[in-house]
Amino acid sequence: MKYNSPHIFHQKAKKNGLPEESIKLAISYSDKLIANKLPVIFSLKHFSLITGTNYKYLRRIVKRYEDPYSIFQMRKRSGGIRNICIPTPSIAQAQKFISKHILSTLIPNARSYAYHPGNSIINCCRQHCAAKWIIKVDIQQFFENISELKIFKEFNNLGYTKLLSLELARLCTRISDKKKNFSFWQVRKINNYTVIPTYNSKKLGSLPQGASTSPMLSNIVCREMDSTFTTLMGKDGIIYTRYADDMTFSSSTGIKNRDDAKTLISKIYEVIYSYGFRPKTTKTKILSPGSKKIVLGLNVEGDEPKLLKEFKYRIEKHLHCIEKFGLLDYSIHIRFRDPLSFYEHLLGLINYAEHVEPDFGIKCKNRLTSMKIFNEV
């Protein structure tokens, strides 16, 4: 972002009648943010001008007077329902600025492999290749258990004022009606950070799944937990990674038997609870020597992560059926909403396959592109 000289700022502020002491404090505040390569934002009003969003609308969101999200439900593969929150254009615009100019400058813990450039599922899985023992633990309601109090602290630690940090946290969170809210002391604590009575709220917001700011904020909030796990597990030669809410622990020497694995799981749960999260105990898995080693949908038994046979078979089956019946008839048969959407879906699967196993992926892509299927669509 472009910043003016502090001399120019001083002259303009003096001309507008600001006291000398206030001008010095503002320049000092700006210098700290600029040194950390962060945008200088003095207030919510200033933020609205920078982002081109309506100030009164942002104030209403911060006051929790309205919910700026449309909610739709999506079925999980493992069962249950996931709420996807779609922000209004104005809030999406504000969040896009926060993501691009603030959050993109922050570096997650090295053991976190989701939601930031240069990392991926395959890089995460490589850490566990050829391990004898693997323990997989999921965090329950991951985004929903990251409260606006935690988000407030992150913005404040970056150097933003307490009031602005609260306002930014409110713009990145929402109050869910379908979950038990956070403890009274947390609500009271966040209300203590504002001098504006109308900002007081009886409930705390949490990260909505669907906001562009939620993924990176979750990584930033989890940095300390990731560091704790890395140190704790490293003492016993255990490798730790986290991909969003999927935590994986692998070992070739630190775990000798199933009792050792169960003891380790107790320690893992203890750390998870200490950071305000809850493990999804029904999804905790111990993969012992001789068992099939699957991490994040990839086989990690060899030197490199591999696609599952079932995944490759599914792609090949789709290609065979398109060749035999045509894209239009086959997409209708499998009840896909339209042939072009199915084509894009299949191409996405093939692109992922190419990323993991290039030879197989390229072969499938050549097979797909050689079909003259768009004449029938």
Side-chain angles (χ1 to χ4, degrees):
M1 295 185 68
K2 186 178 180 181
Y3 301 102
N4 288 326
S5 158
H7 303 294
I8 296 173
F9 176 85
H10 188 280
Q11 292 169 11
K12 290 183 177 180
K14 198 76 174 175
K15 188 176 180 180
N16 288 328
L18 266 70
E20 187 68 28
E21 188 61 28
S22 296
I23 296 173
K24 288 180 180 178
L25 287 173
I27 291 176
S28 176
Y29 171 74
S30 302
D31 286 345
K32 290 177 182 177
L33 292 172
I34 294 170
N36 290 324
K37 298 181 181 180
L38 294 168
V40 177
I41 310 170
F42 292 106
S43 64
L44 185 65
K45 177 71 172 179
H46 186 207
F47 178 79
S48 72
L49 293 171
I50 294 172
T51 58
T53 50
N54 185 279
Y55 170 64
K56 291 183 178 179
Y57 180 68
L58 295 183
R59 278 292 293 267
R60 287 186 62 81
I61 303 307
V62 172
K63 291 177 182 179
R64 301 298 194 196
Y65 284 0
E66 60 182 277
D67 184 5
Y69 296 89
S70 298
I71 312 300
F72 73 90
Q73 295 183 328
M74 179 183 294
R75 290 192 177 276
K76 298 180 182 178
R77 286 186 178 179
S78 57
I81 299 294
R82 176 183 287 113
N83 285 335
I84 305 298
C85 308
I86 306 300
T88 61
S90 291
I91 291 300
Q93 185 173 328
Q95 291 172 345
K96 185 178 180 181
F97 177 91
I98 293 170
S99 295
K100 182 178 180 181
H101 297 287
I102 299 178
L103 303 181
S104 66
T105 66
L106 308 179
I107 301 173
N109 186 280
R111 308 313 292 173
S112 171
Y113 284 83
Y115 307 138
H116 57 103
N119 267 315
S120 63
I121 284 178
I122 192 168
N123 287 338
C124 184
C125 291
R126 280 195 181 107
Q127 298 297 308
H128 306 288
C129 281
K132 292 181 179 178
W133 289 86
I134 292 178
I135 295 172
K136 301 195 292 184
V137 179
D138 281 14
I139 298 175
Q140 190 171 350
Q141 293 182 311
F142 181 52
F143 282 174
E144 291 88 343
N145 279 293
I146 298 178
S147 74
E148 70 180 71
L149 179 59
K150 292 180 179 180
I151 305 304
F152 158 81
K153 289 178 179 179
E154 295 300 335
F155 283 123
N156 191 226
N157 289 338
L158 290 175
Y160 292 109
T161 65
K162 287 185 176 180
L163 178 57
L164 181 60
S165 295
L166 172 63
E167 291 167 331
L168 292 174
R170 290 274 174 90
L171 295 178
C172 296
T173 57
R174 74 177 290 268
I175 294 174
S176 173
D177 298 326
K178 294 189 176 182
K179 71 177 290 295
K180 185 178 179 181
N181 209 259
F182 300 93
S183 64
F184 171 77
W185 75 265
Q186 287 180 295
V187 177
R188 185 176 180 181
K189 195 168 186 179
I190 196 72
N191 286 335
N192 288 338
Y193 291 126
T194 176
V195 293
I196 303 176
T198 53
Y199 278 8
N200 287 343
S201 176
K202 294 181 180 179
K203 291 185 176 182
L204 279 185
S206 58
L207 291 183
Q209 190 156 348
S212 62
T213 45
S214 293
M216 183 54 83
L217 280 172
S218 71
N219 275 344
I220 302 307
V221 166
C222 289
R223 279 190 298 192
E224 188 178 341
M225 182 179 73
D226 292 333
S227 180
T228 298
F229 271 125
T230 302
T231 302
L232 182 64
M233 297 297 134
K235 292 177 182 178
D236 296 321
I238 294 166
I239 302 300
Y240 160 74
T241 64
R242 183 178 59 80
Y243 193 90
D245 58 350
D246 292 310
M247 311 173 86
T248 307
F249 306 81
S250 63
S251 173
S252 291
T253 57
I255 301 174
K256 301 283 192 302
N257 50 51
R258 190 167 285 271
D259 286 338
D260 284 352
K262 290 179 179 179
T263 300
L264 182 63
I265 288 171
S266 296
K267 292 180 181 178
I268 293 168
Y269 284 179
E270 187 178 334
V271 175
I272 291 174
Y273 280 120
S274 72
Y275 283 96
F277 294 106
R278 289 175 294 164
K280 196 179 294 182
T281 55
T282 56
K283 293 195 71 176
T284 298
K285 292 183 179 179
I286 299 173
L287 307 180
S288 58
S291 64
K292 196 172 184 180
K293 303 295 193 303
I294 307 299
V295 175
L296 299 172
L298 294 178
N299 188 315
V300 295
E301 293 171 8
D303 295 338
E304 279 287 314
K306 297 291 183 182
L307 298 168
L308 300 185
K309 290 180 180 178
E310 300 92 324
F311 183 85
K312 295 169 79 169
Y313 172 77
R314 180 152 55 107
I315 292 177
E316 290 175 328
K317 179 185 175 183
H318 286 326
L319 291 172
H320 171 75
C321 290
I322 291 173
E323 288 172 333
K324 186 173 181 179
F325 303 109
L327 177 65
L328 181 59
D329 288 344
Y330 180 59
S331 61
I332 292 173
H333 174 72
I334 60 174
R335 298 181 180 178
F336 222 86
R337 58 183 178 273
D338 64 74
L340 287 179
S341 295
F342 172 67
Y343 178 85
E344 291 173 358
H345 167 73
L346 178 56
L347 187 58
L349 296 178
I350 292 173
N351 285 335
Y352 176 70
E354 185 179 359
H355 179 61
V356 180
E357 293 187 34
D359 290 344
F360 174 77
I362 291 171
K363 182 182 74 172
C364 291
K365 185 174 285 186
N366 290 338
R367 189 173 166 187
L368 179 65
T369 53
S370 67
M371 304 178 197
K372 296 179 180 180
I373 56 179
F374 287 105
N375 294 330
E376 59 177 286
V377 179

